[in-house]
């Protein structure tokens, strides 16, 4: 069974640029959630995708957008990068999203470290 | 604003001791509670979840939940230097689009040999 994978592992961009981060969910998982983790902080929820539809969004501006594909892999796109976007971006997958803790437990990928200069 | 609070630490315990990590949450509608371990520079790794009041044991780890007090804790018995990490408490509600986890800032644990 393959776990959650993310690419790339590290990325350096400059202010104003755009970036796309990718995530492959664990086998059998149809739900992907994205989180941003700044240094010294807990992960902050960006949004979740369930069966290719957005299923909830955190307090992030519209320049953060996403997609989920038929194979349940997902992308996070960030436009007009700002210095404060520098963080570890985490993708987590789960079997479902509202079936109780046994299906909703989220497993994290290794993350993408984004640095904005 | 739904919040999850943890002492940031660092919490320092000697090898072989019991480490006690605490977490409080603000949303009474929260139904599932998760503990993750995060080593420096790595992603969070699930330790265990709990959803019923009382204790749940898994090896050296015991999670405790008290919904009336809105309090969840994690005990680590026989602490080892390899347990040195940041421990994240996460809370999840249900209904609507509440599919996300709300995390605390984490408690940094240091186990001294």
């Amino acid at each position: 069974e393959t776990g959650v994978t993310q690419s790339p592992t590290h990325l350096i961009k400059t202010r104003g640029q755009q970036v796309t981060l990718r995530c492959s969910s664990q086998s059998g998982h149809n739900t992907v959630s994205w989180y941003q983790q700044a240094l010294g902080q807990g992960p902050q929820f960006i949004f979740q995708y369930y069966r290719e539809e957005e299923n909830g969004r955190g307090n992030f501006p519209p320049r953060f957008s996403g997609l989920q594909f038929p194979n349940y892999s997902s992308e996070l796109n960030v436009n007009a990068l700002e210095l404060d976007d520098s963080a570890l971006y985490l993708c987590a997958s789960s079997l479902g999203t509202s079936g109780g803790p046994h299906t909703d437990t989220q497993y994290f990928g290794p993350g993408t470290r984004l640095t904005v200069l | 604003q739904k919040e999850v609070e943890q002492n940031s630490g660092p919490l320092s315990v000697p090898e072989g001791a019991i480490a006690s990590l605490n977490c409080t949450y603000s949303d009474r509608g929260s139904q599932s509670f998760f503990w993750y371990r995060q080593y420096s520079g790595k992603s969070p790794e699930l330790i265990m979840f709990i959803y019923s009041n009382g204790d749940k044991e898994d090896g050296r780890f015991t999670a405790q939940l008290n919904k009336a007090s809105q309090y969840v804790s994690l005990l680590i018995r026989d602490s080892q230097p390899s347990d040195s990490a940041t421990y994240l408490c996460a809370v999840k509600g249900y209904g609507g689009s509440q599919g996300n986890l709300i995390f605390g800032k984490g408690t940094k644990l240091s186990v001294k040999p």
Side-chain angles (χ1 to χ4, degrees):
Chain A
E1 183 177 285
T2 306
V4 181
T5 60
Q6 292 186 243
S7 64
T9 53
H10 295 87
L11 205 50
I12 299 175
K13 292 284 189 178
T14 56
R15 251 185 336 176
Q17 285 189 310
Q18 178 264 343
V19 68
T20 297
L21 310 181
R22 294 179 175 84
C23 170
S24 291
S25 60
Q26 188 169 315
S27 177
H29 287 189
N30 60 22
T31 303
V32 171
S33 304
W34 286 92
Y35 294 84
Q36 180 196 66
Q37 187 176 25
L39 206 59
Q41 302 294 315
Q44 297 291 313
F45 175 67
I46 302 175
F47 43 58
Q48 182 183 79
Y49 281 86
Y50 171 64
R51 295 184 174 180
E52 302 181 60
E53 297 288 330
E54 187 178 288
N55 183 47
R57 186 181 182 92
N59 189 26
F60 281 81
R63 58 189 185 85
F64 286 77
S65 63
L67 281 175
Q68 187 178 34
F69 300 99
N71 66 354
Y72 303 129
S73 66
S74 178
E75 285 184 356
L76 163 65
N77 299 289
V78 187
N79 294 321
L81 284 166
E82 300 178 358
L83 296 179
D84 284 349
D85 296 333
S86 295
L88 179 66
Y89 287 84
L90 296 162
C91 167
S93 75
S94 57
L95 284 169
T97 185
S98 58
H102 294 279
T103 57
D104 300 354
T105 298
Q106 297 185 14
Y107 298 90
F108 285 86
T112 294
R113 173 74 62 187
L114 173 64
T115 302
V116 182
L117 303 176
Chain B
Q1 179 81 355
K2 300 174 184 177
E3 293 182 342
V4 177
E5 299 286 341
Q6 295 181 256
N7 288 327
S8 60
L11 173 65
S12 184
V13 300
E15 184 174 356
I18 296 175
S20 178
L21 304 160
N22 304 315
C23 172
T24 59
Y25 58 95
S26 63
D27 182 11
R28 284 196 172 274
S30 302
Q31 297 190 16
S32 298
F33 308 85
F34 301 83
W35 284 100
Y36 289 85
R37 176 174 63 195
Q38 187 172 28
Y39 291 111
S40 181
K42 302 295 185 182
S43 64
E45 172 192 10
L46 179 72
I47 299 173
M48 63 194 302
F49 65 79
I50 186 168
Y51 56 92
S52 298
N53 277 329
D55 295 358
K56 180 182 178 183
E57 187 174 319
D58 184 359
R60 295 187 296 114
F61 300 95
T62 299
Q64 299 175 317
L65 175 61
N66 184 326
K67 289 185 179 179
S69 300
Q70 294 176 241
Y71 175 90
V72 59
S73 65
L74 180 70
L75 300 177
I76 307 174
R77 290 183 301 281
D78 189 23
S79 296
Q80 301 297 308
S82 58
D83 294 326
S84 298
T86 296
Y87 289 79
L88 297 165
C89 172
V91 172
K92 186 178 188 297
Y94 287 90
S97 60
Q98 298 177 38
N100 59 296
L101 295 176
I102 301 170
F103 283 85
K105 291 185 178 180
T107 298
K108 188 170 184 178
L109 173 66
S110 178
V111 181
K112 303 295 186 184

